Amino acid sequence: MSILNNFSLEGKIALVTGASYGIGFSIASSYAKAGATVVFNDIKQELVDKGIAAYKEAGITAHGYVCDVTNEEQVNAMVAQIEKEVGVIDILVNNAGIIKRIPMVEMSAADFRQVIDVDLNAPFIVSKAVIPSMIKKGHGKIINICSMMSELGRETVSAYAAAKGGLKMLTKNICSEYGEFNIQCNGIGPGYIATPQTAPLREVQADGSKHPFDQFILAKTPANRWGEAEDLAGPAVFLASDASNFVNGHILYVDGGILAYIGKQPK
Ligand code: NAP
Ligand code: GCO
């Protein structure tokens, strides 16, 4: 038998949250290519429709549901519907996320809470909804999409860093609490990836030059480029597959080397 069989997701059902585009779409597509049945959700019907069309164009039949991951009732109803219509979820990727870039002293408590709600409370709510069936089935994989901000801070992202730091610890706790049931919970910490979420940081300036933040990130990244959503595909398949059955509570940083690097020396 080939070692590559260990990476196959044939026969598995994967739910990727907020996956009609961006990183979630790329991860879900890689799961389909590895043999899994893909299920995703988004807040709005139009985004679910767009997502289904985009998967179709990529040759993938995806099951899309409208659900706000911060709403426990909606999440429980969606998971019950998926179990009925598609089957028990083997792989959950908590991908849906938002960011608000506001200096901390100017940020309202309501804005702070909203980021925590989507980026931290929702992974708790969705994980909680899928774990009981994973226990009954005898296995499960939960992958939380963390961030550089699970380790580092920077100006304007206090809520996001607090949420993603918390998500790293939720990952370790799910591993600690449910590892004995053959559930592996790991995180992926993407570096700076070119998606709609980071588009404002890459906007070309009026004079045609790169955005200062764009230049800053290139100087901080040994790979000397932004990541593409596709860069996360291989690590995501690994963490969803039997190849990682003894990897638990780990955050796999996929960052072109940012966390290893002290930064470029000024000339
Ligand atoms: P994105 O392009 O903004 O996509 C995020 C997705 O999540 C969208 O489809 C969004 O739907 C959905 N979503 C937001 N709130 C939701 C909710 N309450 N319920 C259901 N779906 C919801 O972001 P991305 O860059 O692909 O990021 C995906 C994940 O990776 C996020 O957790 C993000 O924090 C993380 N991440 C991104 C980067 C990066 O550099 N891009 C780096 C590290 C980590 P709507 O369009 O309807 O809002
Ligand atoms: C920011 C960015 C980041 C990234 C990512 C880094 O404003 O600094 O949006 O937070 O999206 O999470 O890993």
Side-chain angles (χ1 to χ4, degrees), residues 11 14 40 46 48 56 66 79 151 154 160 182 189 191 198 207 210 242 250 264 267:
F40 74 100
E46 69 220 67
V48 170
K56 200 169 169 201
V66 178
V79 169
E151 299 293 339
R154 85 169 187 86
Y160 186 79
N182 194 24
T198 53
D207 64 2
K210 278 187 191 300
D242 287 347
H250 185 77
K264 237 185 201 52
K267 288 202 176 114

Side-chain angles (χ1 to χ4, degrees), residues 5-224:
N5 291 344
N6 278 358
F7 293 85
S8 166
L9 302 181
E10 210 62 57
K12 306 282 190 212
I13 295 169
L15 167 63
V16 185
T17 65
S20 49
Y21 60 88
I23 288 174
F25 179 84
S26 176
I27 289 177
S29 301
S30 71
Y31 286 173
K33 286 177 196 150
T37 300
V38 163
V39 185
F40 74 100
N41 74 293
D42 224 306
I43 301 185
K44 298 176 218 115
Q45 183 66 54
E46 69 220 67
L47 271 171
V48 170
D49 294 343
K50 263 193 187 167
I52 287 177
Y55 285 109
K56 200 169 169 201
E57 214 180 300
I60 298 163
T61 306
H63 303 259
Y65 293 85
V66 178
C67 172
D68 177 344
V69 286
T70 64
N71 183 318
E72 191 165 15
E73 231 172 84
Q74 284 184 26
V75 167
N76 290 341
M78 174 181 71
V79 169
Q81 208 180 340
I82 294 169
E83 289 190 358
K84 206 166 125 204
E85 293 173 359
V86 190
V88 169
I89 295 159
D90 301 283
I91 302 157
L92 164 67
V93 181
N94 283 309
N95 167 77
I98 58 168
I99 190 166
K100 286 178 189 274
R101 299 182 185 98
I102 306 169
M104 188 178 130
V105 295
E106 291 165 26
M107 190 171 206
S108 68
D111 276 341
F112 190 93
R113 283 197 190 99
Q114 196 193 348
V115 174
I116 300 287
D117 213 22
V118 180
D119 293 357
L120 179 58
N121 295 343
F124 159 77
I125 289 170
V126 187
S127 301
K128 190 182 151 195
V130 302
I131 286 171
S133 294
M134 287 179 170
I135 292 176
K136 271 193 214 140
K137 204 170 177 182
H139 76 91
K141 299 276 187 184
I142 298 176
I143 297 154
N144 291 326
I145 305 302
C146 298
S147 165
M148 293 292 90
M149 271 62 210
S150 299
E151 299 293 339
L152 304 169
R154 85 169 187 86
E155 301 81 357
T156 74
V157 297
S158 57
Y160 186 79
K164 294 294 187 177
L167 186 57
K168 172 179 75 174
M169 288 314 300
L170 179 66
T171 304
K172 290 174 191 266
N173 214 81
I174 293 173
C175 150
S176 307
E177 209 163 337
Y178 297 104
E180 67 174 298
F181 300 102
N182 194 24
I183 292 174
Q184 289 85 48
C185 180
N186 292 288
I188 290 179
Y192 278 80
I193 312 293
T195 69
Q197 195 216 58
T198 53
L201 308 175
R202 287 176 284 107
E203 246 167 36
V204 177
Q205 303 298 277
D207 64 2
S209 65
K210 278 187 191 300
H211 191 295
F213 196 88
D214 188 345
Q215 299 178 30
F216 165 68
I217 286 305
L218 293 179
K220 288 293 266 180
T221 310
N224 196 34

